[in-house]
């Protein structure tokens, strides 16, 4: 009987196991790291859709000669009034999706409460500059007086990055070091309430 064949694992077997583990890691890693990227894209898309809906509703109302337009600051800074106004052109289900993020679903009855959404909306009006921040992810809570650091526990992205959508429609995903840098991000109006 040959005892040498029964003892332990060969170098070739170890190498095969090592290669299999590396291949599995390469297959799984994009899904793990890409999840948060999908969250950022989802929130950026929702922000852009809300900005476009607001802009279009404002143009429609202005063309009809209405003095009360659609911008969030023209509702006395009331988030819920702005959502009610948007629901004249968007379904509440669509608004609910735009105010959510993967992993942070919003209940239907909570769409009128900005503190429960993954977005923050600022009191932007028709007269506001196009570069002013209109919508941001909830972890970015800057005020006109300056920036507040991103909190690790804040939704939806913690202190990793944040999303900003300006009144003019341009938006971006920023790194934490840009919090409070109005030269990069733009100015801020007060948050809606």
């Amino acid at each position: 009987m040959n005892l040498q064949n029964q003892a332990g694992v060969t170098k070739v077997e170890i190498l095969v196991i090592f290669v299999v583990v590396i291949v599995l890691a390469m297959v799984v890693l994009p899904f793990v790291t890409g999840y948060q990227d999908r969250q950022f894209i989802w929130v950026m898309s929702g922000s852009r859709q809300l900005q476009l809906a607001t802009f279009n509703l404002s143009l429609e109302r202005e063309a009809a000669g209405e003095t009360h337009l659609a911008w969030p600051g023209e509702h006395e800074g009331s988030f819920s009034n702005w959502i009610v106004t948007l629901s004249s052109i968007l379904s509440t289900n669509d608004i609910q999706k735009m105010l959510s993020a993967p992993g942070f679903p919003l209940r239907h009855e909570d769409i009128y409460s900005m503190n429960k959404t993954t977005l923050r909306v600022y009191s932007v009006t028709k007269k506001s500059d196009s570069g002013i921040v209109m919508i941001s992810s909830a972890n970015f809570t800057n005020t006109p007086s300056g920036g507040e650091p991103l909190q690790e526990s804040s939704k939806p992205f913690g202190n990793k990055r944040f999303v900003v959508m300006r009144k003019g429609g341009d938006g971006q995903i920023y790194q934490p070091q840009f919090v409070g840098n109005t030269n990069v991000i733009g100015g801020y109006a007060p948050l809606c309430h």
Side-chain angles (χ1 to χ4, degrees):
M1 182 194 254
N2 188 352
L3 293 176
Q4 207 170 16
N5 288 339
Q6 295 176 358
V9 180
T10 66
K11 290 179 184 178
V12 173
E13 291 171 329
I14 290 174
L15 184 61
V16 168
I17 291 170
F18 185 68
V19 168
V20 168
V21 168
I22 288 175
V23 168
L24 287 174
M26 290 172 60
V27 168
V28 172
L29 192 60
F31 293 106
V32 173
T33 59
Y35 179 72
Q36 194 167 56
D37 290 338
R38 286 190 299 274
Q39 282 183 319
F40 281 113
I41 291 167
W42 180 283
V43 170
M44 179 64 83
S45 175
S47 300
R48 178 73 173 136
Q49 291 175 49
L50 288 168
Q51 184 276 336
L52 280 172
T54 301
F55 182 77
N56 289 334
L57 186 58
S58 176
L59 288 177
E60 285 178 15
R61 288 186 171 194
E62 191 172 8
E66 294 182 37
T67 57
H68 190 68
L69 303 176
W71 298 100
E74 295 168 338
H75 296 281
E76 300 171 353
S78 170
F79 177 78
S80 60
N81 289 346
W82 177 64
I83 294 297
V84 168
T85 300
L86 286 179
S87 65
S88 68
I89 61 168
L90 297 171
S91 74
T92 54
N93 287 337
D94 288 339
I95 294 171
Q96 178 184 357
K97 289 176 191 172
M98 292 173 204
L99 295 172
S100 299
F104 295 93
L106 180 66
R107 296 182 324 180
H108 186 74
E109 60 269 15
D110 291 334
I111 67 170
Y112 302 100
S113 174
M114 185 172 65
N115 292 333
K116 297 187 179 185
T117 71
T118 59
L119 297 176
R120 294 293 176 257
V121 177
Y122 297 81
S123 296
V124 172
T125 67
K126 178 185 178 191
K127 295 179 181 179
S128 299
D129 181 78
S130 65
I132 195 166
V133 175
M134 179 179 164
I135 301 170
S136 70
S137 52
N139 63 335
F140 176 77
T141 54
N142 281 2
T143 63
S145 61
E148 299 175 13
L150 303 177
Q151 299 297 315
E152 187 172 349
S153 62
S154 62
K155 64 179 183 179
F157 310 120
N159 61 359
K160 293 176 180 53
R161 292 182 275 175
F162 60 96
V163 171
V164 167
M165 179 62 60
R166 293 174 195 83
K167 178 190 175 200
D170 59 323
Q172 195 164 341
I173 300 168
Y174 289 101
Q175 299 295 328
Q177 64 264 28
F178 293 109
V179 169
N181 188 339
T182 56
N183 293 328
V184 175
I185 297 172
Y188 324 109
L191 276 170
C192 286
H193 50 80

